[in-house]
C-alpha cells in the first residue's frame, strides 16, 4: 500500500522506513513543525523523576544548559520511542509506560504515589492531557517545563496534495488527535476533503480517531494498543 504519514519530520522518517521494510510505500507529510523552546527554567531541586510524553521533549532538552543537572534522574516515558530518545541524549534510568498519557500517569502513581513526590514534566506547549490533575489526588506534584512547541502547518505538503488528487494513496496514518484535526482542516482548505473521506484512516487510539469520526469519515481503524507496532499490525490485518 501507498500510505500518507502525518507525523512531525523526524518521526515520519522513522515510520516511513518501518513501512518500507514491510513492503509499503510512504509519502511523508509532516503536519507539525517542532521547535525547541529556549530559555525555559528547569529546577531539578527536590525532583524525584522526569516525565516525558514525547520523544520531542528528549530531543529538545538535549541542548538545554541544565541537561547535566537532570540526566541522573529516572525518566518515566510514555512509550518505547520516547524512552529510546531519552536514552539517546544520556538518560540512563528510563522506564516506558508502553501506552498513552493515561498509562504514564498510572506508572507514575505506581512508582511515587506512596510518597509525596515532585516530578519534572518536560512538555510541549500544547498538551492533550492534564497530568498534574491526574496525579495530584495521589499526592504527586508536577513541575512543568515547556521545552518545545509544535506549530501546525496551514496546508498539506505538495507531494501529499499531488498524491491525493491523483487518487494515489490507500490510507493515512494518524498518531495524535491534534494532527488528525489538522489533517481534516488542511484537506478541507485544499479542496480534498471528499477525496480523503474515501481513504482508510489508521489511528493510534480512539481519541485520535474522534476528530475523523467528527468529520464524517467512515473507514477509521484503531490500533489495539497505542504504539507503532500495533499500528503496523493494523495495516497487516486490514
Amino acid at each position: 500500500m501507498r500510505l500518507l504519514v502525518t507525523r512531525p519530520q523526524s518521526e515520519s522518517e522513522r515510520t516511513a522506513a518501518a513501512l518500507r521494510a514491510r513492503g509499503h510505500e510512504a509519502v511523508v507529510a509532516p503536519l507539525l513543525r517542532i521547535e525547541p523552546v529556549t530559555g525555559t527554567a528547569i529546577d531539578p531541586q527536590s525532583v524525584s523523576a522526569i516525565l516525558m510524553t514525547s520523544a520531542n521533549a528528549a530531543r529538545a532538552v538535549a541542548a538545554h544548559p541544565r541537561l547535566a543537572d537532570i540526566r541522573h534522574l529516572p525518566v518515566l516515558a510514555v512509550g518505547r520511542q520516547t524512552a529510546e530518545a531519552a536514552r539517546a541524549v544520556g538518560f540512563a534510568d528510563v522506564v516506558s509506560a508502553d501506552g498513552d498519557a493515561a498509562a504514564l500517569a498510572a506508572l507514575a502513581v505506581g512508582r511515587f504515589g506512596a510518597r509525596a513526590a515532585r516530578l519534572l514534566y518536560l512538555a510541549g506547549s500544547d498538551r492533550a492531557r492534564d497530568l498534574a490533575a491526574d496525579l495530584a489526588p495521589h499526592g504527586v506534584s508536577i513541575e512543568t517545563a515547556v521545552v518545545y512547541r509544535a506549530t501546525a502547518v496551514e496546508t498539506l505538503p505538495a507531494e501529499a496534495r499531488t498524491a491525493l488528487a491523483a487518487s494515489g494513496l490507500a490510507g493515512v496514518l494518524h498518531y495524535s488527535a491534534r494532527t488528525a484535526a489538522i489533517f481534516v482542516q488542511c484537506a478541507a482548505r485544499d479542496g480534498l476533503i471528499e477525496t480523503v473521506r474515501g481513504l482508510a484512516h489508521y489511528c493510534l487510539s480512539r481519541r485520535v480517531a474522534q476528530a475523523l469520526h467528527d468529520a464524517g469519515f467512515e473507514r477509521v481503524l484503531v490500533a489495539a494498543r497505542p504504539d507503532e507496532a500495533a499500528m503496523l499490525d493494523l495495516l497487516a490485518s486490514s
Side-chain angles (χ1 to χ4, degrees):
M1 288 190 289
R2 193 177 189 214
L3 300 157
L4 189 69
V5 183
T6 59
R7 310 182 81 183
Q9 188 69 43
S10 57
E11 286 94 342
S12 279
E13 290 171 356
R14 183 176 59 247
T15 297
L19 289 171
R20 294 183 188 109
R22 293 193 175 210
H24 301 294
E25 293 183 56
V27 175
V28 172
L31 300 183
L32 291 171
R33 291 188 296 271
I34 305 301
E35 305 164 350
V37 174
T38 59
T40 298
I42 290 180
D43 180 10
Q45 296 300 314
S46 303
V47 169
S48 298
I50 292 171
L51 298 177
M52 293 187 190
T53 53
S54 170
N56 294 313
R59 288 188 283 267
V61 82
H64 197 282
R66 300 213 67 175
L67 175 62
D69 299 325
I70 63 173
R71 205 155 40 189
H72 68 285
L73 291 168
V75 173
L76 307 186
V78 69
R80 295 177 186 178
Q81 291 179 357
T82 301
E84 290 170 4
R87 294 186 188 101
V89 299
F91 292 96
D93 184 359
V94 182
V95 178
S96 170
D98 291 338
D100 55 11
L104 178 61
L107 176 62
V109 169
R111 287 289 187 96
F112 300 102
R115 50 194 170 106
R118 177 171 170 265
L119 308 183
L120 175 62
Y121 178 22
L122 300 181
S125 57
D126 183 86
R127 296 181 291 281
R129 191 179 185 98
D130 188 348
L131 284 177
D134 290 338
L135 297 179
H138 302 278
V140 179
S141 63
I142 286 183
E143 178 72 22
T144 300
V146 175
V147 295
Y148 72 93
R149 67 173 63 88
T151 304
V153 303
E154 295 184 356
T155 186
L156 292 170
E159 185 180 5
R161 294 198 305 272
T162 299
L164 287 166
S167 300
L169 292 170
V172 185
L173 274 63
H174 303 277
Y175 282 78
S176 78
R178 187 180 178 198
T179 53
I182 293 168
F183 175 79
V184 172
Q185 294 165 3
C186 286
R189 191 176 295 128
D190 294 335
L192 294 165
I193 193 68
E194 294 306 321
T195 299
V196 300
R197 275 203 182 102
L199 301 177
H201 294 270
Y202 302 93
C203 300
L204 190 69
S205 69
R206 294 188 183 278
R207 186 176 182 280
V208 174
Q210 191 59 53
L212 305 175
H213 287 305
D214 291 346
F217 290 25
E218 295 182 356
R219 296 178 62 194
V220 179
L221 300 93
V222 179
R225 303 179 312 279
D227 59 45
E228 182 153 273
M231 284 282 279
L232 297 176
D233 289 343
L234 185 62
L235 295 174
S237 64
S238 64

